[in-house]
Amino acid sequence: MTKKNVTLTTQGSYIIVDNGFVRLTISKPQGLLTAIKYGGIDNLLDIQSNELSRGYWDINWNLPGGQDRYLLFRGSEYRVINFSNDHLEVSFKTTYDPSVRGTKLPLTVDQRYIVRSGVSGFYCYAIYERPPGCPAFDLAQTRMVFKFHYMAITDEKQRIMPMPEDLLPGRGKQLIVPESVLLINPINPDLKGEVDDKYQYSMDNKDGGVHGWISSNPIVGFWIIFPSHEFRERLMEESLWPYEFISSPYYLTYKERGSVTGRLFVHDRFVSASLLPAKSAFIGLSAARNEGSWQIESKGYQFWIQTDLEGNFTIKNVVPGVYGLHGWVPGFIGDYLKEELVTISEGSETQLGNINYVPPRNGPTLWEIGFPDRTANDYYVPDVNPMQYGLWDRYTDIYPKSDQVYIIGISDPKKDWFFAHVDRRNGDKYVPTTWEIRFNLTTVTVGIYKLRLAIASATRSNLEVHVNQINAEQLVFQVTNLGADNTVCRHGIHGLYQLLSVDITSTLLTTGDNCIFLSQARGGDALCGILYDYIRLEAPPA
């Protein structure tokens, strides 16, 4: 198809942008995307939704200690940034004015749309500016939203979406969390008995990169593509990243960025006497300065890559600045943090050479459960249909009266270790649960044994660890209100990683049979839970 020029037309309170492939209708000056025409379809968006809620940006925020607030962005100033036959960039901006009375979001927001000749899509980004002297606030989340009827995330995670009316009383019944609705009388009868839950359509950012809407009649798809990942159509976008056509003073081209190269090794003397290449490790640059704190750092940019099988890595297109070099290695516990900070400057190619990670370790492994990859994937997850709801309650179905018992050397984690340590349902109540790990010691060495509990996720959990008997004298670890990930109700398999190390004096152990009790001591909470990543018992150091 011959490339056509990009055109811009104003019709009343709308602008229409067309490049021959796709035509956008955008309200001005609000910047709301009301229609996308493509492939003979007048509007790919949900025409049954109000024009104001078909395509938009929004934000959840609050003042420190204040109530949660929601805002759908509506620009007050429309402007053409760049316009040629090959390229158009338009702006819809709202400027924060501290003199206006009332509680206002202290941000200046500039929504941008870009259409290019010969491209069967469009680009979106937004500039958030916090003016000097404006009050502090918490930004919980911000989103770009498009509404459709058939959602596709992966080959497995896709389905016809229910109508908005299906979520209302009479057609839908709210379940244990507000986002979960049982469809009891949906407009589409094929959906009756299913559960609609937005968290069933989620996946890790690192594994995503493309999701959207598809139709079988006519055959057309609307895909949101993240240019820093790769996947067929995304390959082209990745090759163009960083884009050269963005007109923002805060956006840096590849010539204004830098890179860092190195090779990561692991040194665990109880695994190998020599250094091991950190294969498929995750290594990244972050403003965070403490081990593992990159997980909760959201104010600055982060740049991550996976090493190759020899531990080599190159992190490209890094915005100049001073960073901590962080990492973690599948197969080993803990977090890596380079002692020295890494400085990236414009056009630089920083060479780090060989760097070593020494994971936490006191003594040789006596036994282990799972594989350290920061998920609960190695354990028993009932019915892995990605659209299933309520996996946490399956624990009660499997263990209706007594709790899980795992025997080292006999039990299989894929069959005998439930993926989430949750409460058991007992009638209309949820009661605490205690799991047992039974193991045998041929000898007991005098000294301190070390129990490593790598946590893939935790939510409002009270964890207690006892050795051989459940009493105050045998209590070796206790923590309350552990975690706030909400992974259980969001159908997740991991959250915020934590590593707990528990000292066990040899006087608590015996030659022969032993037992470690892991108690989820919080009761009355259907959605509290711990997802263990990996558990290991180490003997005292030689």
Side-chain angles (χ1 to χ4, degrees), residues 205-206 228-229 238 241 260 264 280-288 290-298 300-307 313-319 323-330 334-338 374:
N205 288 336
K206 70 178 179 63
S228 57
H229 298 291
E238 183 186 43
W241 181 263
V260 59
L264 181 63
S280 303
F282 293 86
I283 192 96
L285 296 170
S286 168
N290 299 313
E291 292 180 6
S293 60
W294 59 268
Q295 297 179 99
I296 55 174
E297 165 55 46
S298 59
Y301 290 109
Q302 297 197 35
F303 303 88
W304 286 81
I305 197 73
Q306 253 186 303
T307 64
F313 65 90
T314 297
I315 306 176
K316 301 178 181 179
N317 301 319
V318 181
V319 172
Y323 298 92
L325 183 71
H326 298 258
W328 64 273
V329 186
D335 283 277
Y336 169 75
L337 175 62
K338 194 177 189 298
R374 302 187 174 221

Side-chain angles (χ1 to χ4, degrees), residues 418-439:
F418 197 73
F419 80 100
H421 193 171
V422 294
D423 284 355
R424 184 194 302 107
R425 186 182 67 255
N426 185 6
D428 60 352
K429 298 180 179 179
Y430 283 83
V431 297
T433 55
T434 296
W435 291 4
E436 298 181 27
I437 304 174
R438 298 179 182 177
F439 58 98

